[in-house]
Amino acid sequence: MDITIIGCWGAYPEKNEATSGYFVESEGSKILLDCGSGVLSRLQNYCLLEELDAVIVTHAHADHVADIFSLEFAILILMKLGRRSKPLDVYVNREARGMMAFSYPDNMRVHWIGADTELTIGTVQLAFSENVHDIPCLAVKLTSRNGKTLVYSGDTGYCQAIIDFARSADVLLIESSFYDWQAGLMNGHLTAGEAGRIAALAGAGLTILTHFPHYGELQQLAAEASNHYDGPIRLASCGMHIHL
Ligand SMILES: [Zn+2]
Ligand SMILES: [Zn+2]
């Protein structure tokens, strides 16, 4: 399984960058996790839109879905031009149904998903878990045929569910929206220290912090997470690639 960070910012993208978007490729299957602002443009550095198999949408906040309707037009045009032969499968949190108005069902095949959904894309198995967030949001687990696991937290506050769900993940891609000094100021997101505690309690392997704030020194997030977690911690960056 190969993971490429397309975007790593919370709320809005920094210049020439993107908010949430993570591209996963495994044995020929090409899967995009979230499609935030700036993701559609940057994704094309790593994946032809003709070849994208599926998109997973964790929740309906703009920093996770802003580009999905532009992607819908891209698929429409590529299919009309004959450059793409199959619709794009889009797996969307069913709680977002009233907020996600797709227009071209022949091009975007929408599947509504929840924490009870289990699905297989190519040889990748996917499972989901419910987070604590101000609108319903799903965490996602991808398991490759050789048993390697990636858990992507989506947006979440601190909860037992994400600890249980991330248990023994080989790679934990976890939101770190706040510095520790902001603890308790805003629910539904994690401080870096909380992200580190989750990684430690879950016994996760490589932990990648993402969904960054637009202020402060991001290295401080890694330092705060490492106060709780002894394993490897990295800060996500646009274009970062991980093979497992
Ligand atoms: Zn977000
Ligand atoms: Zn959110």
Side-chain angles (χ1 to χ4, degrees), residues 59 63-64 155 189 211:
H59 68 304
D63 56 337
H64 299 253
D155 285 2
H189 287 290
H211 200 278

PDB file of all heavy atoms in Angstrom, residues 59 63-64 155 189 211, ligand 1:
ATOM      1  N   HIS A  59     -16.882  13.238   5.973  1.00  0.00           N
ATOM      2  CA  HIS A  59     -17.963  14.120   6.437  1.00  0.00           C
ATOM      3  C   HIS A  59     -18.048  15.312   5.510  1.00  0.00           C
ATOM      4  O   HIS A  59     -17.225  15.477   4.604  1.00  0.00           O
ATOM      5  CB  HIS A  59     -17.777  14.512   7.896  1.00  0.00           C
ATOM      6  CG  HIS A  59     -16.613  15.403   8.202  1.00  0.00           C
ATOM      7  ND1 HIS A  59     -15.309  15.097   7.863  1.00  0.00           N
ATOM      8  CD2 HIS A  59     -16.551  16.611   8.832  1.00  0.00           C
ATOM      9  CE1 HIS A  59     -14.511  16.055   8.284  1.00  0.00           C
ATOM     10  NE2 HIS A  59     -15.245  16.992   8.870  1.00  0.00           N
ATOM     11  N   ASP A  63     -13.557  21.631   4.213  1.00  0.00           N
ATOM     12  CA  ASP A  63     -12.127  21.292   4.101  1.00  0.00           C
ATOM     13  C   ASP A  63     -11.915  19.809   3.790  1.00  0.00           C
ATOM     14  O   ASP A  63     -10.781  19.361   3.597  1.00  0.00           O
ATOM     15  CB  ASP A  63     -11.325  21.748   5.340  1.00  0.00           C
ATOM     16  CG  ASP A  63     -11.850  21.207   6.656  1.00  0.00           C
ATOM     17  OD1 ASP A  63     -13.043  20.852   6.735  1.00  0.00           O
ATOM     18  OD2 ASP A  63     -11.062  21.139   7.620  1.00  0.00           O
ATOM     19  N   HIS A  64     -13.016  19.048   3.659  1.00  0.00           N
ATOM     20  CA  HIS A  64     -12.934  17.635   3.275  1.00  0.00           C
ATOM     21  C   HIS A  64     -13.671  17.320   1.965  1.00  0.00           C
ATOM     22  O   HIS A  64     -13.512  16.238   1.415  1.00  0.00           O
ATOM     23  CB  HIS A  64     -13.469  16.747   4.412  1.00  0.00           C
ATOM     24  CG  HIS A  64     -12.683  16.917   5.667  1.00  0.00           C
ATOM     25  ND1 HIS A  64     -11.799  15.955   6.144  1.00  0.00           N
ATOM     26  CD2 HIS A  64     -12.576  17.962   6.531  1.00  0.00           C
ATOM     27  CE1 HIS A  64     -11.221  16.407   7.238  1.00  0.00           C
ATOM     28  NE2 HIS A  64     -11.679  17.622   7.498  1.00  0.00           N
ATOM     29  N   ASP A 155     -11.910  13.899  11.079  1.00  0.00           N
ATOM     30  CA  ASP A 155     -11.945  14.900  12.154  1.00  0.00           C
ATOM     31  C   ASP A 155     -12.597  14.276  13.379  1.00  0.00           C
ATOM     32  O   ASP A 155     -13.684  13.710  13.288  1.00  0.00           O
ATOM     33  CB  ASP A 155     -12.766  16.127  11.735  1.00  0.00           C
ATOM     34  CG  ASP A 155     -12.018  17.016  10.757  1.00  0.00           C
ATOM     35  OD1 ASP A 155     -10.891  16.669  10.379  1.00  0.00           O
ATOM     36  OD2 ASP A 155     -12.574  18.062  10.383  1.00  0.00           O
ATOM     37  N   HIS A 189     -12.191  18.291  17.872  1.00  0.00           N
ATOM     38  CA  HIS A 189     -10.866  18.185  17.262  1.00  0.00           C
ATOM     39  C   HIS A 189      -9.872  17.759  18.332  1.00  0.00           C
ATOM     40  O   HIS A 189     -10.157  17.821  19.526  1.00  0.00           O
ATOM     41  CB  HIS A 189     -10.428  19.517  16.641  1.00  0.00           C
ATOM     42  CG  HIS A 189     -11.155  19.866  15.386  1.00  0.00           C
ATOM     43  ND1 HIS A 189     -10.971  19.178  14.201  1.00  0.00           N
ATOM     44  CD2 HIS A 189     -12.079  20.827  15.127  1.00  0.00           C
ATOM     45  CE1 HIS A 189     -11.743  19.709  13.268  1.00  0.00           C
ATOM     46  NE2 HIS A 189     -12.440  20.706  13.794  1.00  0.00           N
ATOM     47  N   HIS A 211      -3.946  17.789   9.298  1.00  0.00           N
ATOM     48  CA  HIS A 211      -5.064  18.727   9.561  1.00  0.00           C
ATOM     49  C   HIS A 211      -4.577  19.844  10.483  1.00  0.00           C
ATOM     50  O   HIS A 211      -5.064  20.026  11.604  1.00  0.00           O
ATOM     51  CB  HIS A 211      -6.238  17.951  10.189  1.00  0.00           C
ATOM     52  CG  HIS A 211      -7.565  18.641  10.084  1.00  0.00           C
ATOM     53  ND1 HIS A 211      -7.952  19.615  10.952  1.00  0.00           N
ATOM     54  CD2 HIS A 211      -8.596  18.497   9.218  1.00  0.00           C
ATOM     55  CE1 HIS A 211      -9.165  20.029  10.638  1.00  0.00           C
ATOM     56  NE2 HIS A 211      -9.579  19.370   9.575  1.00  0.00           N
TER      57      HIS A 211
HETATM   58 ZN    ZN B   1     -11.568  19.273   8.895  1.00  0.00          ZN
END
